[in-house]
Amino acid sequence: MNGINLPPMERRLQDRYVKMVLEHMNSSNRNAAGPNLLAGQGQAASAAQATWRFLNNPNVQLTDLVEPLRQAGRDACQQSASQFVLLAHDWCKLDYKTHTSKSDVQQVTHEYDIGYDMTSALLVDAESGKPLAPMQMHLKAANAVHSTGHDVPKLDGHHLDEIEPTMREADEWGLECEVVHLIDREGDSLGRMRAWDAAGYRFLVRSDDRRVLWEGESWLISEIAEYFDSQFLFEPVGDALHHGKVVRQEVAEADIVLPRPRSVCIDGETHQVTGRPLSMRLGVT
């Protein structure tokens, strides 16, 4: 391409695109939020503008752009010694309340919380905990949802509505490892967990304190944890980082059942809906 006599403007754009590609090939590590910028006079705004020009191609959809990332996930699973791979589902708010040039921002929560609502599903190595690749992303703007998924979430949908469609798509990504879905406390919904279990998905949810059946008796999860501690049932599983300090991590487990009805809101009123008892494995760390 260097031998082609391009007009000055096109030559500058080509140089900018080449530099941008080289920057994206030069990430510092797998945990980096973005690429290392090469030395030069360019500012962040100009780099963002060049990226937008590069990606703003009507013939290339987000479902196409995510494929190299998913291929990285497939390659990592082929090299993994584990039977399982983790897919962590999480949400975050992108704060753009000071960026007055953006016309598609929305009020995410309160009136001063202006920006975008982003969902990501990150593939994680089950043995080491290292991130492998982002496999699914949704970005809710004021008037649209920009998604790498084929089943695009509704603009006014709940976060948890996004999980099962991603679970279904994950079965089609060609991952050689069995996927275990990791969901933070927002996913501690009995109705959702019953549905995920009925569909055959493996999942791990960080739970609130709730009443469960353990060995045929009713216990709070906090009471089970206290019993584990009093009976010295926690077993060391290695070191971990906790608030920047190295600590010894200990774990205890038990088979429990979630037998209770779930609460649903219908026309502003709370109703109790029964469901089948759900057998789960409780892990306390």
Side-chain angles (χ1 to χ4, degrees), residues 165-262:
T166 297
M167 288 176 165
R168 288 196 298 268
E169 289 195 27
D171 288 341
E172 302 173 357
W173 291 340
L175 303 175
E176 294 190 3
C177 300
E178 187 170 355
V179 178
V180 179
H181 299 272
L182 267 62
I183 308 158
D184 208 351
R185 191 161 293 172
E186 189 170 0
D188 186 19
S189 166
L190 183 52
R192 307 277 184 172
M193 290 191 288
R194 280 182 173 137
W196 300 334
D197 179 71
Y201 300 118
R202 292 184 180 270
F203 55 90
L204 175 63
V205 175
R206 191 157 68 110
S207 175
D208 288 320
D209 197 12
R210 61 161 68 238
R211 190 161 291 280
V212 302
L213 288 180
W214 180 38
E215 296 184 346
E217 297 184 1
S218 178
W219 295 69
L220 287 171
I221 289 178
S222 57
E223 294 172 340
I224 298 176
E226 291 172 1
Y227 179 83
F228 286 163
D229 195 27
S230 67
Q231 299 300 309
F232 303 100
L233 297 178
F234 282 95
E235 298 182 355
V237 294
D239 292 338
L241 282 177
H242 181 67
H243 296 295
K245 296 182 179 180
V246 177
V247 298
R248 185 175 68 172
Q249 186 175 22
E250 298 180 341
V251 172
E253 299 180 343
D255 291 321
I256 61 171
V257 176
L258 306 183
R260 300 166 68 87
R262 62 187 178 96

Side-chain angles (χ1 to χ4, degrees), residues 106-160:
Q106 61 170 327
Q107 180 178 319
V108 181
T109 53
H110 54 76
E111 61 179 316
Y112 301 110
D113 190 8
I114 305 299
Y116 305 98
D117 186 26
M118 187 173 76
T119 302
S120 60
L122 178 67
L123 203 66
V124 178
D125 184 87
E127 293 290 334
S128 66
K130 292 181 179 179
L132 301 176
M135 305 293 282
Q136 187 86 293
M137 286 163 280
H138 313 301
L139 184 74
K140 288 187 178 181
N143 300 312
V145 179
H146 308 283
S147 174
T148 60
H150 294 290
D151 192 349
V152 179
K154 295 180 180 179
L155 189 59
D156 59 351
H158 193 278
H159 280 161
L160 295 183

Side-chain angles (χ1 to χ4, degrees), residues 59-77:
N59 297 317
V60 181
Q61 305 300 315
L62 292 176
T63 50
D64 301 316
L65 291 173
V66 77
E67 270 308 307
L69 296 172
R70 290 180 180 163
Q71 185 59 49
R74 286 189 283 269
D75 292 344
C77 285

